[in-house]
Amino acid sequence: MIKKVTASICRILPAAILLIGLIFSVCACSKRTDVADGDSYIVCLNADRTGLVKVSYDIPSGDTGEAAGAVLDELKTPSMEIEYTQAIPDDVEVQSCELSGSIFYVDFNSQYLSLDRIEEKLVRAAVVQSLVRIEGINAVAFTVDGEPLKDEDGNVIGLMNGDDFVENTVSSPSSYQTDTLVLYFANESGDALVKQTVDVRHSSNVSKEKLIVEKMVQGPAGSGAFPTINPQTNLLGVSSKDGICYVNFDDTFLTGTYDVLPEITIYSLVNSLVDGTDAEMVQITINGETSAVYMGAVDLSRPLPEDMNWVAVEDEE
């Protein structure tokens, strides 16, 4: 009897080993970090929290706010695999979140401010890149205990989009490149736009959209062109999605300091961005809100296409 049992075991054992091997093989092939092109995913941190990792996740369809809440829950859920860790640490809590238009606001508890500089940037990148993958969310803003998140210099970070983050935050050193920008400023009488072409050297980590807006706020170089935007304006964020460039200023933007038509200020910015980037329209927001009317003349509640009718005839090609 013992010999028969032993013989049976010997016949079954190879098959069992093969089955176990297949199970482990299937498990190994179905890691959540195996994300192929076109797969739905969120972004988490790697095992030692020094970089970003794409993690397979089916983003819920339907209500945008509910989908965002589900994604935040998933970003907080501890990993069952060694290849990645949850994006939001255990002691950091999402206190509230709200969708306003296409901007999603997330409020964290004070523990968020305890994150070291590198980890905070990675957490921020992971959360933003995950949320903007949801249909209906074009930008994300962080607050901590209801106060806007600020950078190391005390500046409000404002609206964020996936374009604001380098793909590999830790291992991609900053490099510099040269670009030629076509910018539109005011003519001397302030009733038309003139075109100015400038060469700029800038960090490759700065998006072209942000670079253009910063140059517009700084004003023109040389003669023949005049500034249009209040130089005290604070740029809170720039992001792009689905052909729309979102530019978020503080309310200083609404105070015109130059003798130019309101339309000249707005279309100096809009035309510069549409001409110089892939954007087809520009949405200007004030502290994240789209309810402003610039100088009582230009409605900022919707994205604006370029309007070359404001360009002086002699500057048109």
Side-chain angles (χ1 to χ4, degrees):
M1 179 65 70
I2 293 177
K3 290 182 180 179
K4 289 182 180 180
V5 171
T6 303
S8 297
I9 291 175
C10 289
R11 287 194 298 270
I12 294 172
L13 190 58
I17 293 173
L18 177 61
L19 178 61
I20 292 172
L22 287 172
I23 292 173
F24 276 105
S25 176
V26 170
C27 292
C29 293
S30 59
K31 292 178 181 178
R32 292 187 64 188
T33 51
D34 294 334
V35 178
D37 290 342
D39 287 351
S40 179
Y41 67 88
I42 56 174
V43 180
C44 294
L45 273 62
N46 62 12
D48 54 5
R49 301 184 73 78
T50 59
L52 303 176
V53 179
K54 292 180 180 178
V55 175
S56 177
Y57 177 74
D58 291 327
I59 296 175
S61 58
D63 183 82
T64 302
E66 292 179 0
V71 166
L72 287 173
D73 286 342
E74 188 66 21
L75 292 172
K76 179 74 174 171
T77 302
S79 169
M80 300 298 291
E81 301 178 12
I82 63 173
E83 287 80 12
Y84 74 94
T85 59
Q86 66 199 72
I88 303 175
D90 288 331
D91 55 350
V92 174
E93 300 292 340
V94 175
Q95 300 186 131
S96 65
C97 53
E98 178 185 9
L99 181 66
S100 177
S102 61
I103 301 172
F104 193 73
Y105 295 87
V106 184
D107 184 59
F108 294 99
N109 66 348
S110 59
Q111 287 300 117
Y112 185 94
L113 299 178
S114 299
L115 299 174
D116 67 52
R117 182 179 63 84
I118 292 178
E119 184 178 11
E120 187 279 325
K121 187 174 182 180
L122 288 168
V123 170
R124 182 154 41 97
V127 173
V128 172
Q129 289 183 8
S130 298
L131 288 172
V132 296
R133 294 188 56 76
I134 301 172
E135 185 68 28
I137 296 179
N138 294 322
V140 180
F142 283 8
T143 57
V144 178
D145 285 339
E147 296 296 323
L149 181 65
K150 298 179 180 180
D151 63 18
E152 292 177 305
D153 298 321
N155 301 312
V156 174
I157 291 174
L159 299 185
M160 299 170 285
N161 183 278
D163 295 338
D164 293 323
F165 302 97
V166 181
E167 184 69 20
N168 188 333
T169 306
V170 174
S171 62
S172 295
S174 176
S175 59
Y176 287 84
Q177 63 188 55
T178 300
D179 267 316
T180 299
L181 303 180
V182 175
L183 306 177
Y184 292 89
F185 295 101
N187 64 357
E188 186 173 7
S189 58
D191 59 1
L193 295 172
V194 294
K195 183 168 63 175
Q196 186 176 83
T197 302
V198 296
D199 293 324
V200 295
R201 185 171 183 268
H202 63 96
S203 168
S204 59
N205 292 347
V206 176
S207 69
K208 195 169 184 181
E209 291 83 354
K210 184 177 181 181
L211 179 65
I212 288 173
V213 178
E214 289 177 341
K215 292 299 179 182
M216 291 302 302
V217 174
Q218 289 175 13
S223 60
F226 297 83
T228 60
I229 299 174
N230 186 337
Q232 301 302 315
T233 297
N234 291 307
L235 176 61
L236 303 183
V238 182
S239 61
S240 293
K241 187 175 182 180
D242 298 331
I244 300 177
C245 180
Y246 296 84
V247 183
N248 188 30
F249 293 118
D250 70 348
D251 53 13
T252 308
F253 175 79
L254 299 176
T255 306
T257 58
Y258 301 112
D259 187 16
V260 300
L261 294 176
E263 292 85 356
I264 294 302
T265 294
I266 297 303
Y267 286 102
S268 69
L269 181 62
V270 172
N271 290 2
S272 296
L273 284 166
V274 173
D275 197 328
T277 70
D278 293 331
E280 298 173 0
M281 293 190 289
V282 177
Q283 173 71 71
I284 299 173
T285 59
I286 306 300
N287 294 322
E289 300 293 332
T290 59
S291 57
V293 177
Y294 183 74
M295 302 294 288
V298 185
D299 183 8
L300 302 181
S301 65
R302 57 185 175 81
L304 299 172
E306 70 175 0
D307 188 345
M308 303 305 288
N309 291 322
W310 291 102
V311 180
V313 175
E314 61 269 25
D315 290 279
E316 292 182 331
E317 296 182 353

